Amino acid sequence: MFLNLITFAPFIMTLEQEIAKRRTFGIISHPDAGKTTLTEKLLLFGGAIQKAGAVKSSKIKDHARSDWMEIEKQRGISVATSVMGFNYKDIKINLLDTPGHQDFAEDTYRTLTAVDSVIMVIDCVKGVETQTEKLMEVCRMRSTPVLCFINKLDREGRDPFELLDEVEEKLSIKVRPLSWPISMGKTFKGVYNLYEKTLQLFTASKVTVEEGIEISDIHSEQLDKLVGENYAKQLRADVELIEGVYPEFEVNDYLAGKVAPVFFGSAVNNFGVKELLDTFIRIAPPPIPRETTVREIKPEESKFTGFIFKIHANMDPKHRNRIAFLRVCSGKFERATNYYHVRQEKGIRFSNATAFMAQDRETVDEAWPGDIVGLYDTGNLKIGDTLTDGEKLMYTGIPSFSPEIFKEVINKDAMKTKQLEKGLLQLMEEGVAQLFTYELGKRKVVGVVGALQFEVIQFRLKNEYSASAEFAGQNIYKACWISSRDPKKLQEFIDSKQRHIARDKDDKLVFMAESRAWLQMVQENFPEINFHFTSEFKD
Ligand code: G4P
């Protein structure tokens, strides 16, 4: 009776509290290093999935190169797994998926603009591979904090010291091991946590995780009993070397993107994953301030701002529906509210907004900094667009990168020219590839990171826009965005290189360089001109 009279005020968190509990990150790796497996284990810990095998791989395997249905199917899967939100120990984790296939690397680069930190997975047998090197370059550009997980310790891998040297050398980042493996492969004993001073003995295929055994002194006999005399001796020698070679771990160096803490484990055996996750939620940054064309915006500012980093279009060819992925950067996003679309200088309102929780999509009424919201769009939004509460500013740091393969678009059906133009425009807005239009003759050249993209474009133009296009190879090495402090010099350069000057989707000037050697020569001959490999730059 008495209780009925008492009204319980619901616990409402402040904006600061919402921000403090969020971690938005991506996993990067070379295909096959174990990204999908690790993702799945993280989701298991978060209770977002109940059993292994629930996360479908979003990678397109090589054998599927020409299998269009496979590509379409994968597009469907990758929408479902684009963002996986889950809670772990009171922390709201937003894991942004990145395509594994290197031909879709541009998509990965863009997704990395929407995260606050990254977990990098490296295969201990193969070491640092090319795709990881490229992705790390993008992280370095933005000083993104990186946590490194060396995977597959149940296999005979390379010497751990050698692996760490390779990471430092190839990825240009300092490392600091926080755990250390005791042997590998068939004789893999487990991992010693250098900070907690605990030993995790290796047990394969466990979903539950045992508590680590505390070893307050690695010189104690307890260690010999647990792992055997020889391995204990080796661990003692390794730890001594680590303490001598690597400086103490400083969280601030990690947050500044200068040092990557390293963990060892085996994702498929769920070994070392919990330690990784526990450390991740402790040290990874909550949503961080971000630069705009006007000023830096802090997440705790009360007014909403956010930007679009990904667009998924035409999932249903009968309806031109698209989902735009919005990263909330400050304030609170509310559904069915009028916001300001800065590029179009007009108000925009979304009655249909989606949050991503594990593999389900659910309608959301509000979202906080660090959250990703899916917005149903009918063609108003482009990658890089900023939405605000009214302020005129654009988020920066969402550049286009120079593609690596270029081909001219040849229209094969003059009756469908309009459809082709519309299709190309929409696919470019979606970020499938980049379009460059030459100043002379208005020739259109499509640039991509991987050859598979041309096949996707051709297929989708036909399937979704009834347009027929072919592609003719072009002898182009790089697209360089050009600028100069001296407008006269810039004009002189444009006049002398007319045949090689094009415009990108935002009308920015681009020099299409035919070869590395030629570009070098041009750079030497025109020292007042700046050549950039990304569309955003500071002179
Ligand atoms: P990716 O997303 O980075 O491309 O890699 P994914 O997780 O799909 O893993 C690639 C392969 O490596 C998978 O084997 C996976 O089972 C295996 N793997 C992941 N973690 C470990 C590990 O700790 N130890 C060992 N030995 N293998 C690991 P697969 O044969 O390609 O696929 P599946 O049939 O096992 O699914």
Side-chain angles (χ1 to χ4, degrees), residues 29 31-37 59 151-152 154-155 266-268:
S29 73
D32 274 347
K35 180 169 72 75
T36 312
T37 313
K59 63 188 167 180
N151 191 26
K152 306 196 184 181
D154 58 319
R155 289 202 180 158
S266 169
V268 82

Side-chain angles (χ1 to χ4, degrees), residues 206-421:
K206 281 263 173 81
V207 176
T208 52
V209 176
E210 322 232 323
E211 282 296 310
I213 304 162
E214 215 179 297
I215 310 266
S216 49
D217 177 9
I218 54 166
H219 296 284
S220 76
E221 266 183 30
Q222 189 194 4
L223 185 66
D224 300 71
K225 283 188 192 131
L226 287 165
V227 300
E229 211 175 303
N230 283 345
Y231 293 117
K233 211 163 125 192
Q234 182 67 47
L235 178 67
R236 286 175 194 126
D238 286 352
V239 170
E240 197 177 322
L241 191 56
I242 293 164
E243 303 304 343
V245 171
Y246 296 101
E248 276 286 301
F249 173 61
E250 295 285 345
V251 174
N252 284 337
D253 288 342
Y254 155 69
L255 292 174
K258 291 184 190 150
V259 171
V262 180
F263 285 86
F264 291 84
S266 169
V268 82
N269 292 302
N270 203 18
F271 186 77
V273 178
K274 186 170 180 294
E275 290 74 18
L276 176 78
L277 184 57
D278 284 338
T279 307
F280 171 79
I281 58 165
R282 213 174 57 232
I283 67 171
I288 46 176
R290 281 167 181 267
E291 278 301 330
T292 71
T293 44
V294 177
R295 63 191 180 87
E296 188 186 76
I297 304 268
K298 296 195 174 57
E300 55 275 13
E301 291 186 25
S302 61
K303 295 217 158 118
F304 159 77
T305 61
F307 67 88
I308 307 294
F309 66 94
K310 183 183 175 101
I311 288 182
H312 247 286
N314 300 350
M315 290 310 298
D316 176 357
K318 285 190 218 86
H319 303 102
R320 295 249 175 269
N321 61 339
R322 329 209 267 187
I323 302 177
F325 291 73
L326 169 85
R327 148 98 199 201
V328 181
C329 296
S330 70
K332 175 164 85 162
F333 170 87
E334 285 176 288
R335 192 168 65 85
T337 302
N338 273 323
Y339 288 119
Y340 183 59
H341 185 330
V342 182
R343 180 177 54 86
Q344 290 191 338
E345 300 180 338
K346 66 173 196 192
I348 193 162
R349 185 186 164 92
F350 303 94
S351 48
N352 216 336
T354 304
F356 301 89
M357 284 305 281
Q359 288 181 290
D360 298 325
R361 287 191 248 156
E362 54 185 42
T363 304
V364 275
D365 292 323
E366 54 185 39
W368 304 92
D371 283 344
I372 309 298
V373 179
L375 303 172
Y376 290 89
D377 171 45
T378 48
N380 286 310
L381 296 171
K382 270 209 294 204
I383 287 169
D385 275 346
T386 298
L387 301 179
T388 72
D389 221 347
E391 201 172 340
K392 287 188 182 166
L393 49 81
M394 295 279 258
Y395 275 98
T396 55
I398 317 151
S400 303
F401 296 83
S402 175
E404 302 190 4
I405 310 170
F406 299 83
K407 288 189 180 183
E408 185 178 350
V409 186
I410 314 277
N411 185 2
K412 296 305 281 181
D413 184 351
M415 303 293 285
K416 298 277 168 65
T417 305
K418 276 223 157 64
Q419 284 89 329
L420 176 65
E421 281 181 2

Side-chain angles (χ1 to χ4, degrees), residues 6 16 20 29 72 87 134 184 200 216 272 276 314 351 367 393 443 449 478 524:
I6 304 170
E16 281 78 8
S29 73
E72 285 298 281
N87 292 303
K134 282 194 192 166
M184 286 189 188
Q200 204 78 43
S216 49
L276 176 78
N314 300 350
S351 48
L393 49 81
R443 279 193 307 129
V449 175
K478 281 264 154 77
E524 279 161 24

Side-chain angles (χ1 to χ4, degrees), residues 1-197:
M1 276 301 282
F2 205 62
L3 263 180
N4 283 348
L5 298 175
I6 304 170
T7 50
F8 289 99
F11 176 64
I12 298 173
M13 281 206 277
T14 62
L15 177 58
E16 281 78 8
Q17 286 168 324
E18 294 283 1
I19 294 166
K21 67 176 267 194
R22 278 170 168 75
R23 302 286 183 278
T24 301
F25 79 109
I27 303 183
I28 57 172
S29 73
H30 192 87
D32 274 347
K35 180 169 72 75
T36 312
T37 313
L38 181 65
T39 301
E40 185 171 281
K41 302 299 173 192
L42 295 176
L43 293 179
L44 279 169
F45 278 116
I49 54 170
Q50 264 62 49
K51 60 176 195 314
V55 177
K56 292 186 192 69
S57 171
S58 61
K59 63 188 167 180
I60 298 173
K61 297 230 179 195
D62 278 348
H63 66 250
R65 275 200 161 253
S66 295
D67 185 342
W68 302 120
M69 286 328 289
E70 189 62 19
I71 287 177
E72 285 298 281
K73 212 166 71 199
Q74 296 290 358
R75 269 205 317 138
I77 292 170
S78 68
V79 160
T81 58
S82 284
V83 183
M84 289 160 275
F86 60 97
N87 292 303
Y88 178 71
K89 294 189 176 170
D90 288 337
I91 295 289
K92 163 83 190 292
I93 296 177
N94 294 312
L95 167 51
L96 274 55
D97 191 31
T98 52
H101 199 293
Q102 62 187 25
D103 282 14
F104 297 97
E106 176 99 22
D107 205 13
T108 303
Y109 300 159
R110 275 190 306 262
T111 299
L112 291 180
T113 65
V115 303
D116 298 307
S117 70
V118 151
I119 292 182
M120 175 167 71
V121 184
I122 290 174
D123 182 329
C124 75
V125 183
K126 295 190 178 145
V128 176
E129 297 171 88
T130 49
Q131 188 67 359
T132 319
E133 282 182 62
K134 282 194 192 166
L135 296 172
M136 188 59 211
E137 254 173 61
V138 180
C139 294
R140 249 199 328 271
M141 271 174 59
R142 312 168 49 80
S143 305
T144 307
V146 175
L147 236 155
C148 182
F149 183 71
I150 299 192
N151 191 26
K152 306 196 184 181
L153 265 286
D154 58 319
R155 289 202 180 158
E156 305 294 337
R158 309 233 313 260
D159 173 67
F161 282 110
E162 201 186 293
L163 282 167
L164 294 187
D165 285 350
E166 189 175 272
V167 171
E168 289 204 328
E169 201 178 296
K170 285 199 177 164
L171 303 180
S172 307
I173 187 164
K174 294 262 166 249
V175 295
R176 182 30 159 127
L178 295 190
S179 74
W180 197 252
I182 304 167
S183 191
M184 286 189 188
K186 284 197 191 77
T187 55
F188 182 42
K189 296 285 166 204
V191 165
Y192 178 67
N193 188 319
L194 293 159
Y195 274 78
E196 315 265 318
K197 301 206 184 319

